[in-house]
Amino acid sequence: MIKRHDSLIVQTISHLMIPIFHLFGLYVLFHGHYSPGGGFQAGVMIGAALVLEMLVGTQNELKKFSISRELQAAVTGLLIYGGIGALALFSGGEYLNYEALSFLGKDPSYRRYWAILIAEIGVTLTVSMTVVIIFQVLAFFPEKEKVK
Amino acid sequence: MIEIINVVLIVFMLISAVGALRVKELVSAAFLTGCFSFFAAMLWALLLAADVSFTEALAGAGIATIFFLLALFGSTHTIRPQAVSFTWKHAAAAGLTLGLGILFLWGSVGLPAFGDLTAPAQMHVSPFYLLNTIKDSHTPNAVTAVVVDYRGFDTLIETSVIFTAGMACLLIMKDKAS
């Protein structure tokens, strides 16, 4: 069972840096078209920021992390990615053929541009929530009995 | 061309990997595994593979080390157990592994030279992807375009594999907690 980190320096710096990590993770996600990055990198970075929150958070702050909500968010991410492919199938093209999605604009290359972004958002959601779930399982579950 | 810094980084990777296998405290072994990932991230950055280097530094040197340390915190075994004595079985296993390594090295002689521009991997689909990403999807980052657009099906299944790993971890530990 992980206790809250009790060093004042760590807590202060974390409270300053956690919003910056989240913001940088979102930057990496949305600039995945132009700079190195994209869905997986942004997902791991946002997951790491949430893990840091759980390491320095009080018991009150920890209450908002519930595993069922995180599972729901992870499944939503997967459904976003699979769903954009299915939407392409229903709009007339093949599965994951983004050029068939007419609600994203007239030019086929811009349709692919926006569909790539939507798929990356789904990937980021799934990866970040999975990192948080695995951390919570490893840190908070073996409460009284230690694994022999 | 093979630069000296690549060789130095690979030697450091070898040293940290062997150290992670030989050191007695398992917490130190977890940190040495993170060290290995860190040197690998530097190597990928030197080879100009920016996306891979980014992911290796975050996931390998960051998250994986955290998970190893958490697993060690939840267990009572934090010292590596005593090694058994060296019998003929160990000698046979070592010999077989050495033979396999020699086969690999012999096969690698036939591979194209490091950085060869006419290698088969650079001639088949790579030029198509590199020349057509901006025209097809206005995405200068070719890695993102290949991963999500040209080979999007693989990424979908990979995302579901990541989700399954998280679910499996949850199901295993929930059993122990209740």
Side-chain angles (χ1 to χ4, degrees):
Chain A
M1 179 79 183
I2 298 291
K3 286 196 328 275
R4 181 179 185 212
H5 202 287
D6 49 1
S7 155
L8 184 64
I9 297 178
V10 170
Q11 285 168 15
T12 313
I13 301 285
S14 300
H15 286 308
L16 284 173
M17 292 299 290
I18 286 172
I20 299 180
F21 288 157
H22 281 292
L23 197 59
F24 196 68
L26 284 176
Y27 161 77
V28 163
L29 166 62
F30 286 111
H31 282 249
H33 293 270
Y34 302 100
S35 69
F40 291 103
Q41 289 85 339
V44 180
M45 192 174 288
I46 293 179
L50 290 167
V51 162
L52 189 55
E53 267 187 58
M54 284 200 270
L55 280 174
V56 298
T58 57
Q59 283 289 12
N60 233 5
E61 290 167 12
L62 285 182
K63 279 194 186 24
K64 67 179 187 219
F65 287 102
S66 78
I67 290 199
S68 59
R69 287 269 169 232
E70 288 152 12
L71 271 177
Q72 287 166 11
V75 167
T76 309
L78 203 52
L79 279 177
I80 289 176
Y81 193 157
I84 200 79
L87 204 58
L89 186 64
F90 295 152
S91 302
E94 296 94 355
Y95 188 70
L96 284 175
N97 184 6
Y98 304 131
E99 290 188 359
L101 297 164
S102 53
F103 72 97
L104 289 173
K106 277 178 97 151
D107 194 10
S109 58
Y110 274 111
R111 287 178 188 177
R112 289 176 134 181
Y113 180 91
W114 289 113
I116 288 179
L117 183 60
I118 295 175
E120 297 269 35
I121 290 175
V123 170
T124 302
L125 205 51
T126 302
V127 172
S128 59
M129 289 296 114
T130 301
V131 166
V132 170
I133 286 173
I134 297 183
F135 175 81
Q136 258 192 302
V137 159
L138 285 176
F140 296 129
F141 266 176
E143 281 192 356
K144 282 169 188 89
E145 43 144 336
K146 287 216 172 210
V147 179
K148 292 286 184 303
Chain B
M1 73 209 120
I2 302 180
E3 299 166 357
I4 191 69
I5 183 73
N6 292 345
V7 176
V8 166
L9 277 174
I10 293 179
V11 164
F12 279 154
M13 277 165 71
L14 258 176
I15 293 175
S16 47
V18 169
L21 287 172
R22 299 290 304 167
V23 86
K24 252 188 118 120
E25 280 269 349
L26 288 181
V27 174
S28 311
F31 273 115
L32 279 170
T33 313
C35 208
F36 177 87
S37 289
F38 179 60
F39 286 130
M42 285 209 279
L43 187 62
W44 308 146
L46 273 174
L47 292 173
L48 301 180
D51 289 64
V52 180
S53 162
F54 202 156
T55 316
E56 177 75 36
L58 273 173
I63 299 288
T65 312
I66 294 177
F67 288 164
F68 278 138
L69 288 173
L70 281 173
L72 280 174
F73 280 172
S75 81
T76 51
H77 283 162
T78 50
I79 310 278
R80 193 185 299 272
Q82 289 287 359
V84 298
S85 51
F86 193 78
T87 63
W88 66 269
K89 286 190 207 169
H90 295 137
L96 270 176
T97 313
L98 203 60
L100 192 63
I102 290 179
L103 271 179
F104 274 138
L105 285 174
W106 182 32
S108 77
V109 169
L111 287 174
F114 186 66
D116 189 9
L117 284 173
T118 58
Q122 312 287 341
M123 304 292 283
H124 190 41
V125 279
S126 289
F128 174 79
Y129 292 151
L130 288 174
L131 290 172
N132 287 329
T133 52
I134 298 192
K135 180 168 67 73
D136 278 341
S137 50
H138 287 279
T139 310
N141 187 5
V143 176
T144 298
V146 168
V147 155
V148 187
D149 187 12
Y150 291 117
R151 304 286 169 120
F153 204 44
D154 298 334
T155 309
L156 175 64
I157 305 298
E158 180 176 334
T159 311
S160 63
V161 164
I162 290 179
F163 173 69
T164 310
M167 271 247 290
C169 206
L170 178 64
L171 288 171
I172 292 177
M173 294 307 287
K174 219 164 159 58
D175 207 28
K176 280 203 192 317
S178 58

